[in-house]
């Protein structure tokens, strides 16, 4: 079955501490993985995607095909990182019938001062 | 600037009423989607469209319908609202060929069914 699992519904860390939001997936094809973020009172937006290999707002995520994971990490959390984070995947090849985005249930990240 | 807008942003209705949520995008995207967001479930796909006159059911389509008569709009209709349809609804669009997988979301419509 194709699935994205975010095992933590809620993650609370202190400002300045490292953050790791977990994402595991199950997918039969070649996946493209994303992290989306929803800040309070703002619309959902793309944070980063694995094919870009970018660091956005200090966050990075590495695709580990062996462990089928795409964990989101930041070495030093900031209060403005508090938000809802969603991991999602789709086919790397857009004409696949599995084009649809498959979403995790989301992790609410709270950064304590 | 191109954008995607939803209306109304907040709606309270009664069980059994028909409700339509509007979604309008000026990105000229082929693909449009409707999701509902509920605690513990994340985002669940209701309906989607890959172009004009194309509509498809998502994983939670029962009780909902959509139509796509032009590129810009994908209205979502609840034929007979039920309390289980109380949720936050998000419309999104994407350009399949230009930007694989990235969705651009509206601000959401919070629907309460009493």
């Amino acid at each position: 079955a194709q699935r994205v699992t975010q095992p933590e519904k809620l993650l609370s860390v202190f400002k300045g501490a490292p953050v790791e939001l977990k994402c595991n997936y199950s997918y039969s094809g070649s996946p493209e993985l994303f992290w989306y973020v929803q800040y309070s009172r703002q619309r959902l937006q793309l944070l980063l995607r694995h094919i870009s290999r970018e660091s956005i707002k200090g966050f990075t995520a590495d695709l580990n095909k062996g462990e089928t994971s795409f964990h989101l990490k930041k070495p030093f959390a900031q209060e403005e990182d508090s938000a809802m984070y969603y991991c999602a995947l789709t086919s790397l090849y857009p004409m696949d019938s599995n084009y649809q985005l498959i979403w995790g249930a989301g992790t609410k990240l709270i950064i304590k001062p | 600037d191109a954008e995607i807008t939803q209306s109304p942003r907040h709606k309270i209705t009664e069980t059994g009423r028909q409700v339509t949520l509007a979604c309008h995008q000026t990105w000229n995207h082929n693909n449009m989607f409707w999701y509902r967001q509920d605690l513990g479930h994340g985002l669940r796909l209701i309906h989607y469209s890959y172009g004009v006159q194309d509509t498809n059911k998502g994983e939670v389509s029962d009780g909902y319908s959509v139509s796509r008569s032009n590129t810009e709009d994908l209205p979502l209709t609840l034929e007979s609202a039920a309390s289980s349809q109380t949720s936050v609804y998000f419309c999104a669009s994407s350009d399949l060929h230009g930007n694989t997988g990235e969705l651009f979301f509206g601000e959401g419509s919070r629907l309460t069914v009493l």
Side-chain angles (χ1 to χ4, degrees):
Chain A
Q2 297 172 122
R3 184 182 297 121
V4 174
T5 302
Q6 294 179 250
E8 304 133 332
K9 289 186 179 180
L10 174 67
L11 183 62
S12 181
V13 302
F14 284 102
K15 177 182 172 182
V19 172
E20 182 177 69
L21 297 161
K22 291 184 168 54
C23 173
N24 293 92
Y25 68 90
S26 172
Y27 192 71
S28 57
S30 298
E32 181 175 6
L33 282 122
F34 306 81
W35 277 98
Y36 280 79
V37 61
Q38 186 179 25
Y39 300 104
S40 179
R41 298 189 190 87
Q42 293 188 29
R43 62 186 74 199
L44 206 64
Q45 58 187 287
L46 179 66
L47 180 63
L48 55 80
R49 56 201 302 177
H50 91 270
I51 61 172
S52 300
R53 298 184 180 275
E54 293 175 309
S55 173
I56 306 295
K57 299 184 178 183
F59 283 98
T60 59
D62 292 319
L63 178 60
N64 186 323
K65 292 185 178 180
E67 295 183 358
T68 60
S69 68
F70 188 57
H71 302 327
L72 183 68
K73 300 177 184 180
K74 185 170 183 176
F76 307 104
Q78 298 173 305
E79 288 186 67
E80 54 264 35
D81 295 330
S82 294
M84 192 75 178
Y85 291 81
Y86 291 96
C87 183
L89 74 80
T90 187
S91 171
L92 193 57
Y93 303 104
M95 298 312 292
D96 276 0
S97 60
N98 294 328
Y99 161 69
Q100 287 298 324
L101 271 172
I102 301 167
W103 295 86
T107 298
K108 185 171 185 178
L109 177 63
I110 296 174
I111 307 300
K112 297 177 285 188
Chain B
D1 285 343
E3 61 177 358
I4 180 166
T5 56
Q6 294 182 229
S7 63
R9 297 289 312 282
H10 301 273
K11 174 79 176 177
I12 300 174
T13 191
E14 295 177 340
T15 302
R17 300 251 183 178
Q18 184 182 77
V19 175
T20 296
L21 305 178
C23 176
H24 180 80
Q25 54 100 0
T26 59
W27 294 99
N28 200 36
H29 284 162
N30 290 321
N31 308 325
M32 296 184 73
F33 307 84
W34 273 105
Y35 290 93
R36 58 178 291 174
Q37 183 186 44
D38 304 286
L39 278 175
H41 291 281
L43 289 168
R44 291 184 291 176
L45 184 62
I46 305 171
H47 281 287
Y48 59 101
S49 168
Y50 287 153
V52 176
Q53 302 301 330
D54 176 74
T55 61
N56 306 279
K57 294 181 179 181
E59 63 177 301
V60 291
S61 60
D62 287 348
Y64 303 93
S65 63
V66 293
S67 61
R68 187 90 181 271
S69 58
N70 58 52
T71 301
E72 295 81 16
D73 299 290
L74 187 71
L76 177 71
T77 297
L78 287 68
E79 303 293 344
S80 177
S83 57
S84 59
Q85 294 177 307
T86 292
S87 186
V88 180
Y89 292 86
F90 286 97
C91 181
S93 71
S94 74
D95 179 357
L96 170 61
H97 299 292
N99 212 352
T100 307
E102 179 176 1
L103 295 184
F104 295 85
F105 282 85
E107 293 180 289
S109 296
R110 183 176 295 275
L111 176 67
T112 302
V113 183
L114 301 176

